[in-house]
């Protein structure tokens, strides 16, 4: 090991010879260290800390403003959603109402069409019955006339002479037709 000796001027002591201890510096070091520290502290206090506070205040305002804007936007979005939901509910109610009205109108149209069809059917049936009745009467009239003529011809053949008198012809025809009606009623 090598021993290093420091030469110290008279009255000076070696650094490890200080009775205060090795961790505490000498008083002159404390004074000369304190002066730059105070100058740096004053510069920080005067220029840097206010700038930091200004930047922090601005950032805080931005954050709070952003939060407020976000809350306002969220409130607006919720209001818009509520409005949309209410409009959607109204639209659904309106659609149900329209659907129900259409269903009712459809039923009315069907009922009206059914009534018209029944009326038309009844009219056609009545018209057909009238035509049938008219045709029946026409056939009966034609049959009576032909039967009357046949009965007159038959009577002329049986009697061997001509029935010239219209009154006699008419009586003979009426008598014959009356007998036919009696036979028809008895057959039913």
């Amino acid at each position: 090991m090598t021993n290093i000796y420091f030469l110290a001027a008279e009255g000076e002591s070696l650094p490890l010879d200080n009775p205060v201890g090795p961790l505490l510096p000498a008083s002159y070091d404390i004074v000369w260290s304190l002066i730059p520290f105070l100058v740096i502290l004053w510069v920080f206090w005067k220029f840097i800390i206010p700038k930091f506070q200004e930047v922090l205040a601005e950032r805080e305002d931005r954050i709070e403003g952003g939060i407020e804007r976000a809350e306002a936007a969220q409130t607006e979005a919720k209001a818009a959603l509520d409005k949309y939901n209410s409009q959607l509910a109204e639209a659904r109610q309106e659609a149900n109402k329209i659907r129900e009205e259409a269903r009712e109108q459809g039923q009315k149209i069907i009922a009206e069409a059914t009534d018209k069809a029944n009326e038309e059917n009844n009219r056609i049936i009545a018209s057909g019955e009238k035509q049938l009745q008219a045709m029946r009467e026409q056939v009966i009239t034609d049959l009576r006339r032909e039967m009357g003529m046949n009965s007159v011809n038959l009577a002329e053949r049986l009697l061997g002479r001509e029935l010239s008198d219209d009154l006699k012809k008419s009586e003979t025809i009426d008598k014959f037709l009356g007998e036919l009606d009696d036979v028809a009623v008895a057959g039913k």
Side-chain angles (χ1 to χ4, degrees):
M1 259 223 164
T2 40
N3 289 336
I4 300 176
Y5 291 100
F6 291 102
L7 297 175
E10 264 185 55
E12 252 187 61
S13 64
L14 292 173
L16 295 176
D17 289 343
N18 194 355
V20 178
L23 294 178
L24 289 177
S27 58
Y28 62 87
D29 281 338
I30 291 177
V31 169
W32 284 109
S33 296
L34 190 60
I35 292 173
F37 177 75
L38 290 176
V39 169
I40 291 173
L41 183 66
W42 179 79
V43 168
F44 264 87
W45 193 268
K46 189 73 173 170
F47 299 108
I48 296 176
I49 290 179
K51 207 54 155 161
F52 275 139
Q53 287 178 343
E54 183 180 313
V55 168
L56 289 176
E58 182 181 320
R59 186 173 285 168
E60 184 179 337
D61 288 342
R62 267 193 285 166
I63 290 171
E64 287 177 2
I67 291 172
E68 290 173 2
R69 283 191 302 274
E71 288 174 353
Q74 188 175 10
T75 304
E76 288 177 11
K78 186 174 182 186
L81 180 64
D82 291 341
K83 183 179 177 183
Y84 168 75
N85 286 336
S86 66
Q87 287 176 346
L88 184 61
E90 289 174 9
R92 284 183 180 156
Q93 289 175 347
E94 186 68 24
N96 287 337
K97 182 179 174 184
I98 290 170
R99 192 177 310 125
E100 196 61 35
E101 288 175 359
R103 206 174 277 136
E104 289 173 5
Q105 287 178 353
Q107 290 174 351
K108 286 180 183 177
I109 290 170
I110 290 171
E112 289 174 2
T114 303
D115 291 343
K116 285 182 181 180
N118 288 338
E119 289 175 8
E120 185 68 19
N121 188 24
N122 292 338
R123 187 188 64 77
I124 290 171
I125 290 172
S127 175
E129 287 176 355
K130 284 180 184 177
Q131 286 179 349
L132 185 60
Q133 185 67 26
M135 291 174 104
R136 183 177 177 216
E137 289 174 8
Q138 180 68 33
V139 167
I140 289 173
T141 304
D142 289 344
L143 280 176
R144 282 182 181 221
R145 191 181 57 218
E146 284 182 28
M147 295 276 287
M149 294 301 271
N150 286 338
S151 64
V152 169
N153 288 337
L154 185 61
E156 284 177 351
R157 282 187 189 167
L158 287 175
L159 295 175
R161 64 184 167 114
E162 224 179 279
L163 295 174
S164 59
D165 189 7
D166 284 337
L167 184 61
K168 287 182 184 177
K169 283 183 184 179
S170 185
E171 286 176 13
T172 306
I173 292 171
D174 288 339
K175 184 179 173 186
F176 181 72
L177 291 176
E179 289 173 4
L180 278 178
D181 285 338
D182 289 340
V183 172
V185 170
K188 287 187 178 178

